[in-house]
């Protein structure tokens, strides 16, 4: 017998945001008494998936497809012409990867092509942000709902004033969290940090995240060395959830120079942990941060450096950003986002009961 | 607190940046230089893919050569002989591969058994019980031990004038102790976890390689250089280079303090694994004397590091 809801995803992996999101949707639907099944490209022993897409018949009442880059799962949906609920996490433009990782550029281009084909099969679009929702509407999908990514927000906000350095004169720790990738533009952040070091010679920059592609990391290190700030830039790599929380709590400001963010999970995590945010206004960044962070429209090194310098040197501003951030992050608490997701799916999955 | 208008703050920052660009030529030039630096680096890095593009020729050839199992080769009479030949050749090739694999597997298994026997002997020598507990002394070479409180206080007491550089900084115990004496000090550490631990205590632990940091420092910049931790596991050639560099970066009256364990006192396993790495305090003293220092050994009550080398400069440094 076919289940009520099929959850289609290229692969279920540990520590992957889309996989966690899918698991939480599955948990939500099962709590509502619905039968679910996870459909993946290739089953692995440990991923908890139920079915390989090759055996998928597309006969569930509702099929929810997680779509970001090109995948075989999306191709099966297109081939079978199965109507789906399209949960869209955005696709980074291929131009960012063209010169760094051509194979990834091909994959994201394929994802874009598939998105155009999926638009005709989409019963409803679910987008992480208004920015993503607009992309779906531009493709001709009329029924689009905004429901953020589901994830359990890790936070341990220190009591007011305690998590802050008593004296940031000349110092301060600037944090970036996310993949080290060309579209995230960590090179702009290192450039801004080189200028910031003029104002704050004791400042540090910490980049947390795995490199993709690896040669981009190599270039970032070369840039830091060439600008003479390499000893103050920490490439922490991929860290555990516990260590990530510590980085949030030990840092003084989160900086984001990314040019393409469909949502921006680290921005929310930083706000939830009482870390002030300075971000470049691109894609969904401004709507994620709203009025809880410094959002600038120009990320040239001097502008970004001055924004960071301002936050690091103005205790009152830091406190204000911290208070607003903690409050603003409550919008993305799992209890709230689960409810949003349920509202987005309810009428589709409960029809006929 | 009055409510801040963050849009106003952003606008002020952007206006301030524009003003500085217009008024301060140095800032404008710096920004230009930085952007140029990235343009150069990005161009040279992404050019690595030229090789990949050329390599596509091989991929294309491989794609052309591969057989699609879903497409029938042909069923016409003239093709049957070809199919039979292909099947036979495939069969014999598969047999050839299987034989090769079996031979390889046999050799591999023999080597693994040898390794297992040797490891068993090593574990026996080290007192490994096989119950998951790790005997003392294991892993020292992979991850240098943090200095004991005796070593920390001793080294801090021996630090002369500032600024002081601690290589490697570890979690910052020595940096903290020297700092408490009012001496300007920072440490350098490669392991992000240890840098994190130092940051947690708000200590000046900088991330990066020790030798590059030392080479990048100004000549005559430091009053004291402390060598400890990972220097225990460096080969002699690197140690000589490090002494030469440290000598250059010291002030005229500078001092080098070396806190390392004697390799001769290592446990049997570590001694075997770390053969040729690290030198004894006595050898350190000799090395430093050769480099123009007046070196002496100070006894230390720590169970591992029993002597600390203190070297005061007597001759001016010379570039190697």
């Amino acid at each position: 017998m076919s289940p009520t809801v099929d959850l289609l995803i290229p692969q279920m992996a540990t520590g992957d945001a889309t996989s966690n999101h899918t698991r939480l949707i599955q948990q939500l639907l099962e709590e509502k008494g619905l039968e679910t099944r996870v459909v993946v490209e290739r089953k692995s022993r440990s991923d908890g998936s139920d079915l390989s897409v090759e055996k998928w018949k597309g006969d569930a009442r509702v099929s929810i497809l997680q779509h970001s880059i090109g995948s075989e799962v999306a191709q099966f949906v297109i081939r079978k012409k199965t109507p789906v609920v399209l949960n869209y996490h955005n696709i980074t433009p291929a131009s960012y990867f063209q010169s760094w990782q051509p194979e990834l550029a091909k994959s994201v281009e394929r994802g874009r092509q598939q998105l155009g084909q999926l638009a005709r099969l989409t019963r409803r679009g679910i987008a992480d942000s208004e920015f993503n929702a607009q992309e779906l509407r531009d493709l001709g999908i009329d029924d689009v709902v905004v429901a953020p990514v589901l994830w359990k927000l890790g936070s341990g906000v220190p009591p007011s004033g305690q998590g802050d350095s008593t004296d940031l004169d000349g110092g301060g720790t600037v944090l970036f969290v996310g993949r080290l990738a060309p579209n995230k533009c960590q090179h702009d952040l290192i450039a801004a940090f080189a200028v910031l070091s003029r104002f704050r010679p004791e400042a540090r920059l910490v980049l947390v995240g795995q490199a993709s592609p690896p040669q981009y990391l190599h270039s970032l290190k070369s840039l830091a060395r060439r600008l003479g700030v390499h000893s103050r830039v920490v490439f922490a790599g991929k860290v555990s959830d516990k260590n990530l929380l510590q980085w949030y709590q030990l840092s003084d400001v989160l900086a984001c120079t990314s040019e393409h963010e469909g949502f921006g999970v680290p921005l929310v995590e930083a706000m939830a942990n009482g870390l002030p945010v300075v971000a470049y206004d691109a894609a969904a960044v401004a709507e994620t941060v709203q009025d809880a962070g410094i959002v600038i429209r120009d990320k040239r090194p001097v502008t970004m450096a001055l924004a960071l310098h301002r936050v690091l040197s103005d205790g009152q501003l830091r406190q204000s950003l911290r208070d607003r951030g903690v409050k603003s992050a409550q919008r993305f608490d799992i209890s709230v986002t689960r409810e949003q997701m349920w509202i987005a799916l309810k009428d589709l999955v409960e029809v006929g009961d | 607190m009055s409510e801040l208008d963050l849009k106003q703050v952003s606008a002020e920052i952007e206006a301030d940046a524009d003003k500085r660009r217009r008024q301060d030529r140095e800032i404008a030039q710096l920004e230009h230089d930085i952007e140029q630096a990235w343009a150069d680096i990005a161009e040279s890095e992404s050019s690595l893919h030229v090789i990949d593009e050329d390599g596509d020729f091989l991929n294309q050839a491989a794609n052309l050569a591969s057989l699609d199992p879903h497409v029938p080769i042909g069923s016409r009479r003239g093709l049957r002989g070809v199919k039979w030949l292909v099947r036979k050749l495939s069969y014999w090739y598969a047999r050839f591969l299987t034989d090769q694999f079996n031979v390889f597997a046999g050799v591999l298994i023999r080597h693994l058994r040898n390794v297992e026997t040797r490891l068993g002997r090593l574990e026996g020598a080290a007192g490994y019980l096989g119950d998951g507990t790790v005997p003392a002394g294991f892993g020292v070479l992979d991850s240098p031990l943090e200095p004991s409180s005796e070593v920390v206080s001793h080294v801090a007491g021996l630090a002369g004038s500032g600024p002081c550089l601690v290589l490697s900084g570890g979690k910052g115990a020595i940096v903290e102790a020297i700092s408490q004496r009012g001496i300007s000090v920072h440490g350098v550490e490669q392991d992000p976890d240890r840098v994190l631990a130092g940051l947690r205590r708000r200590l000046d632990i900088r991330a990066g390689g020790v030798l590059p940091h030392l080479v990048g420092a100004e000549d005559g910049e430091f009053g004291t250089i402390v060598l400890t931790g990972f220097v225990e596991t460096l080969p002699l050639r690197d140690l000589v280079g490090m002494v030469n560099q440290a000598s250059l970066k010291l002030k005229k009256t500078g001092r080098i303090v070396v806190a390392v364990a004697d390799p001769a006192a290592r446990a049997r396993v570590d001694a075997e694994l770390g053969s040729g790495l690290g030198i004894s305090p006595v050898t350190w003293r000799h090395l430093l004397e050769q480099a123009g220092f007046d070196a002496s050994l100070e006894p230390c009550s720590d169970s591992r590091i029993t002597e600390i080398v203190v070297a005061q400069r007597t001759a001016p440094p010379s570039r190697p």
Side-chain angles (χ1 to χ4, degrees):
Chain A
M1 192 184 135
S2 304
T4 316
V5 183
D6 275 344
L7 300 159
L8 288 90
I9 180 169
Q11 62 172 11
M12 291 291 272
T14 312
D16 168 56
T18 313
S19 302
N20 290 340
H21 171 73
T22 305
R23 279 190 201 101
L24 288 167
I25 293 179
Q26 185 179 29
Q27 199 181 331
L28 166 71
L29 295 176
E30 287 180 352
E31 278 172 24
K32 301 288 180 187
L34 297 161
E35 200 183 334
T36 64
R37 183 171 61 179
V38 175
V39 181
V40 293
E41 267 179 34
R42 276 185 204 87
K43 277 183 74 173
S44 69
R45 280 181 195 172
S46 57
D47 64 8
S49 55
D50 299 330
L51 190 69
S52 159
V53 73
E54 284 152 8
K55 293 177 185 166
W56 179 65
K57 291 178 184 162
D59 51 358
R61 186 186 300 159
V62 178
S63 299
I64 304 172
L65 172 66
Q66 305 296 325
H67 190 62
S68 52
I69 60 171
S71 71
E72 279 308 305
V73 169
Q75 204 56 43
F76 263 86
V77 169
I78 293 163
R79 209 176 298 150
K80 285 181 184 287
K81 296 191 172 71
T82 311
V84 288
V85 173
L86 183 65
N87 197 175
Y88 180 51
H89 303 289
N90 213 295
I91 302 171
T92 307
S95 55
Y96 285 104
F97 304 108
Q98 213 70 268
S99 57
W100 295 96
Q101 204 172 8
E103 61 277 21
L104 182 57
K106 280 179 195 163
S107 182
V108 294
E109 266 170 13
R110 186 176 176 225
R112 284 260 165 223
Q113 285 168 2
Q114 289 179 336
L115 185 63
Q117 293 167 305
L118 287 167
R120 293 193 295 273
L121 301 169
T122 300
R123 294 169 67 185
R124 175 171 296 163
I126 298 178
D128 304 329
S129 59
E130 190 51 45
F131 174 77
N132 291 356
Q134 192 52 48
E135 276 197 15
L136 295 184
R137 287 187 200 110
D138 291 345
L139 286 166
I141 303 171
D142 296 327
D143 186 1
V144 182
V145 181
V146 176
V149 182
L150 299 187
W151 90 106
K152 285 175 184 162
L153 197 53
S155 66
V157 183
S160 182
Q162 278 189 18
D164 197 7
S165 311
T166 49
D167 179 11
L168 291 182
D169 285 349
T173 302
V174 180
L175 178 70
F176 176 90
V177 176
R179 263 182 320 110
L180 304 185
N183 63 303
K184 307 269 183 186
C185 298
Q186 287 90 352
H187 56 273
D188 286 330
L189 190 52
I190 291 174
F193 182 70
V195 178
L196 180 69
S197 298
R198 296 280 176 122
F199 310 130
R200 310 183 74 82
E202 302 299 316
R204 285 188 181 85
L205 172 63
V206 179
L207 301 169
V208 173
Q210 207 168 15
S212 167
Q215 61 265 37
Y216 182 65
L217 170 63
H218 185 258
S219 301
L220 293 179
K221 288 184 175 174
S222 302
L223 181 66
R225 209 171 300 120
R226 184 144 158 194
L227 300 180
V229 292
H230 56 286
S231 67
R232 299 199 162 272
V233 179
V234 179
F235 291 92
K238 191 177 180 183
V239 300
S240 65
D241 289 349
K242 188 182 157 198
N243 270 6
L244 179 60
L245 204 58
Q246 287 186 323
W247 279 119
Y248 280 126
Q249 289 169 2
L250 287 167
S251 303
D252 300 302
V253 59
L254 180 105
C256 174
T257 45
S258 177
E259 287 179 2
H260 195 271
E261 289 290 341
F263 180 65
V265 169
L267 297 168
V268 181
E269 286 180 336
M271 292 193 292
N273 282 287
L275 186 62
V277 171
V278 172
Y280 172 56
D281 184 5
V285 168
E287 73 168 282
T288 306
V289 175
Q290 289 197 348
D291 61 347
I294 304 276
V295 179
I296 53 172
R297 288 164 300 170
D298 168 15
K299 62 164 175 163
R300 281 179 291 171
V302 172
T303 316
M304 196 70 193
L306 284 174
L308 294 169
H309 182 47
R310 174 81 180 263
V311 173
L312 292 172
S313 53
D314 185 342
Q316 193 187 19
L317 176 61
R318 275 204 309 280
Q319 188 57 49
S320 172
L321 289 171
R322 185 175 298 122
D323 295 342
R324 288 172 191 226
V326 171
K327 196 174 163 193
S328 181
Q330 287 168 3
R331 289 178 290 145
F332 302 104
D333 187 84
I334 185 73
S335 59
V336 179
T337 50
R338 261 169 64 102
E339 195 54 36
Q340 284 174 281
M341 184 56 77
W342 176 238
I343 291 168
L345 293 172
K346 190 178 176 184
D347 60 322
L348 296 175
V349 294
E350 284 192 340
V351 167
D353 278 357
Chain B
M1 193 185 83
S2 62
E3 197 64 10
L4 277 166
D5 180 355
L6 293 182
K7 283 186 181 158
Q8 179 64 29
V9 173
S10 302
E12 281 170 17
I13 291 165
E14 285 166 9
D16 185 20
D18 282 341
K19 190 176 152 196
R20 286 185 194 232
R21 274 186 206 103
R22 280 196 308 274
Q23 293 181 351
D24 188 343
R25 276 192 166 186
E26 197 189 339
I27 281 282
Q29 186 60 40
L30 173 67
E31 198 167 58
H32 177 264
D33 291 347
I34 287 172
E35 282 167 0
Q36 188 57 47
W38 175 246
D40 295 345
I41 290 167
E43 190 182 27
S44 62
E45 284 293 328
S46 56
S47 66
L48 291 174
H49 275 290
V50 173
I51 298 163
D52 290 343
E53 293 294 332
D54 293 340
D56 273 351
F57 171 75
L58 292 176
N59 291 337
Q60 284 166 17
N63 288 339
L64 286 172
S66 63
L67 291 172
D68 184 347
H70 300 301
V71 179
I73 293 172
S75 55
R76 281 178 295 177
R77 191 169 289 180
L79 288 172
R80 282 184 192 160
V82 177
K83 285 165 71 179
W84 176 85
L85 186 64
V86 169
R87 271 202 300 272
K88 281 287 170 197
L89 286 173
S90 303
Y91 170 75
W92 286 110
Y93 187 60
R95 273 198 68 168
F96 167 74
L97 285 181
T98 310
D99 290 347
Q100 294 294 312
F101 179 78
N102 286 341
V103 170
F104 172 72
V107 171
L108 192 66
I109 286 167
R110 204 162 55 242
H111 278 288
L112 284 174
R113 281 190 182 142
N114 284 343
V115 170
E116 191 185 2
T117 311
R118 191 151 177 249
L119 275 176
R121 280 206 300 271
L122 280 170
E123 285 173 355
Y128 182 62
L129 303 172
D131 59 356
T133 55
V134 180
F138 259 93
V140 171
L141 290 164
D142 289 339
S143 171
L145 292 173
E146 285 294 309
S148 66
S149 55
E150 287 88 357
V151 174
V152 170
S153 60
H154 212 109
V155 169
L158 290 169
S161 59
C164 179
L165 172 66
V166 181
L167 305 172
S168 54
K171 293 178 181 172
I174 292 178
V175 170
E176 188 174 29
I178 294 174
S179 170
Q180 280 167 359
R181 283 188 54 206
I183 298 172
S184 159
V185 56
H186 73 266
V188 177
E189 175 59 49
Q190 198 148 15
D191 178 6
D193 285 342
R194 292 181 191 219
V195 176
L196 170 70
L199 279 175
R200 196 180 296 138
R201 289 153 65 191
R202 298 277 168 197
L203 298 171
D204 193 353
I205 303 291
R206 301 178 189 179
V210 167
L211 268 173
H213 186 88
L214 194 57
V215 172
E218 297 288 329
D219 284 3
E221 184 176 338
F222 300 108
T224 306
I225 295 178
V226 176
L227 301 176
T228 186
F230 91 112
V231 293
E232 287 187 13
T233 57
L234 287 183
L236 182 61
R237 193 174 159 183
D238 287 353
L239 292 175
V240 172
M242 181 172 278
V243 167
N244 287 334
Q245 282 300 325
S247 172
L248 281 173
K249 309 303 171 186
L250 271 184
K251 289 178 178 171
K252 280 180 186 170
T253 56
R255 176 184 287 187
I256 294 179
V257 178
V258 185
V260 293
D262 189 342
R266 281 176 188 158
R268 206 166 143 187
V269 178
D270 280 341
E272 185 152 337
L273 292 174
S275 171
L277 302 177
I279 54 176
S280 69
V282 176
T283 315
W284 268 105
R285 183 177 65 181
H286 174 73
L287 205 60
L288 288 161
E289 281 172 353
Q290 291 298 307
F293 287 85
D294 183 8
S296 62
L297 297 176
E298 293 275 336
C300 176
S301 57
D302 180 50
S303 58
R304 211 171 66 82
I305 298 173
T306 53
E307 285 174 315
I308 293 174
V309 189
V310 185
Q312 195 76 35
R313 189 196 291 291
T314 55
S318 58
R319 280 214 166 261

